[in-house]
Amino acid sequence: MAITRLVLTDFRNHADAVLTPGPGFVVLTGENGAGKTNILEAVSLLAPGRGLRRAALGEMPRQGGGGGFGVAAELGAGVAIGTGVQPSAPERRLVRINGAAASATALAEWLTVLWLTPAMDRLFVEGPGERRRFLDRLTLALAPGHAHHSARYEAAMRQRNRLLAGDAPPDADWLAALEARMAEHGAAIDAARREAVSLLGERLADQPEGAFARAALMLEGWQGDATQLARELGEGRRRDAAAGRALAGPHRADLIVTHVAKNQPANLCSTGEQKALLLGLVLAHAELVGERIGRAPILLLDEVAAHLDPLRRAALFERLAGAGQVWMTGTEPELFNAVPGDATRYRVADGKLG
């Protein structure tokens, strides 16, 4: 499912932008700071989560605007979706699907959005939290219910942490209820992640070494069922109170990535090799999603072409051709000369489209 019309109202540096992209490549070019990535961020907000920048909602309204913002899209199936905030409540996200109020998690039923940004170049050398968020985005594309389980798990864990940190002895029954909730949703999170890692690993294993390095994947850390997690949480209350956080559960997991050809952990590879691993992983996952759910994801590739030589750029465009809607940004139009001629192309300057 592709976006056929996108409208940005007072979003970042765009006062009133209207785009009518085609079903394939959408190329946005312009100088740094023109507003290209802002458009990609707007698209990323049409899926569950905080978007590709993980920014606070209060940062998104246009300076000098009315204090709120809106992002609305029409999809190829005649579906209208949108999100935004009102000036009176700039930190409360509103979502509408076909005119009716909805939750952000419900967006996953209509759009699957994946992205690769320059900020992700350090994914393999950052802490486990960044890789968990990356893995959860991959998992969500294959299992839309993953967002629900993640939100419920995080909410129950925050409440449990507050109870354990209080001065008064916590209510044992309330703790047990929160731990039961964590166990139920935590086991579902772990199972969905491991299924995603297994499916993607199989997909990667079947691909030959080509323009992009092939990765092997492993999920490291806590593993178990709901009964086991409930028991570990109950037995670990004193330990967790001292630590100020829960020390058992899927929030302690890490995605381990290995460069297959070199048999080397990704964090020890060169910057260029890490970029190639990440790009190959995202491309394989997009293909997997298209096959598994019967709907190609929307891909957002921010400044990806600038870091590839001409041969790898051509290989990237060839692999993406016909794979659904792909939004790409770059400073120079020449970077996209090898993109098929039916691409939708926009020149972005100072928040305006040309």
Side-chain angles (χ1 to χ4, degrees), residues 124 200-201 204-205 209 213-217 257-260 277-278 281:
F124 301 128
L200 184 53
L204 289 165
E209 286 289 339
R214 183 157 55 93
L217 309 178
V257 180
T258 302
H259 189 309
V260 171
L277 282 168
L278 185 57
L281 202 162

Side-chain angles (χ1 to χ4, degrees), residues 243-264:
R245 62 189 187 279
L247 297 178
H251 63 285
R252 305 281 291 175
D254 192 4
L255 178 66
I256 306 302
V257 180
T258 302
H259 189 309
V260 171
K262 299 184 68 173
N263 192 28
Q264 186 176 54

Side-chain angles (χ1 to χ4, degrees), residues 146-191:
H146 188 66
H148 166 78
H149 290 297
S150 297
R152 293 298 180 89
Y153 180 84
E154 292 290 337
M157 183 167 62
R158 285 194 299 270
Q159 292 182 60
R160 179 178 182 269
N161 289 344
R162 283 196 295 268
L163 280 179
L164 291 176
D167 294 330
D171 183 282
D173 290 338
W174 182 227
L175 267 180
L178 291 173
E179 288 164 358
R181 195 180 307 167
M182 286 180 64
E184 174 192 354
H185 296 293
I189 290 169
D190 180 65

Side-chain angles (χ1 to χ4, degrees), residues 286-302:
E287 294 164 354
L288 174 64
V289 169
E291 291 178 2
R292 297 285 296 188
I293 69 174
R295 182 182 73 206
I298 290 178
L299 271 180
L300 310 177
L301 304 179
D302 192 20

Side-chain angles (χ1 to χ4, degrees), residues 252-340:
R252 305 281 291 175
D254 192 4
L255 178 66
I256 306 302
V257 180
T258 302
H259 189 309
V260 171
K262 299 184 68 173
N263 192 28
Q264 186 176 54
N267 64 302
L268 299 181
C269 293
S270 70
T271 301
E273 288 171 333
Q274 290 181 15
K275 183 80 173 184
L277 282 168
L278 185 57
L279 184 53
L281 202 162
V282 169
L283 293 176
H285 179 257
E287 294 164 354
L288 174 64
V289 169
E291 291 178 2
R292 297 285 296 188
I293 69 174
R295 182 182 73 206
I298 290 178
L299 271 180
L300 310 177
L301 304 179
D302 192 20
E303 300 290 351
V304 68
H307 302 286
L308 300 174
D309 59 49
L311 290 178
R312 281 190 170 85
R313 279 203 299 273
L316 173 64
F317 301 151
E318 180 180 358
R319 185 166 174 179
L320 290 172
Q325 198 170 57
V326 182
W327 297 63
M328 298 185 293
T329 68
T331 54
E332 301 298 332
E334 292 75 20
L335 292 170
F336 304 99
N337 284 344
V339 171

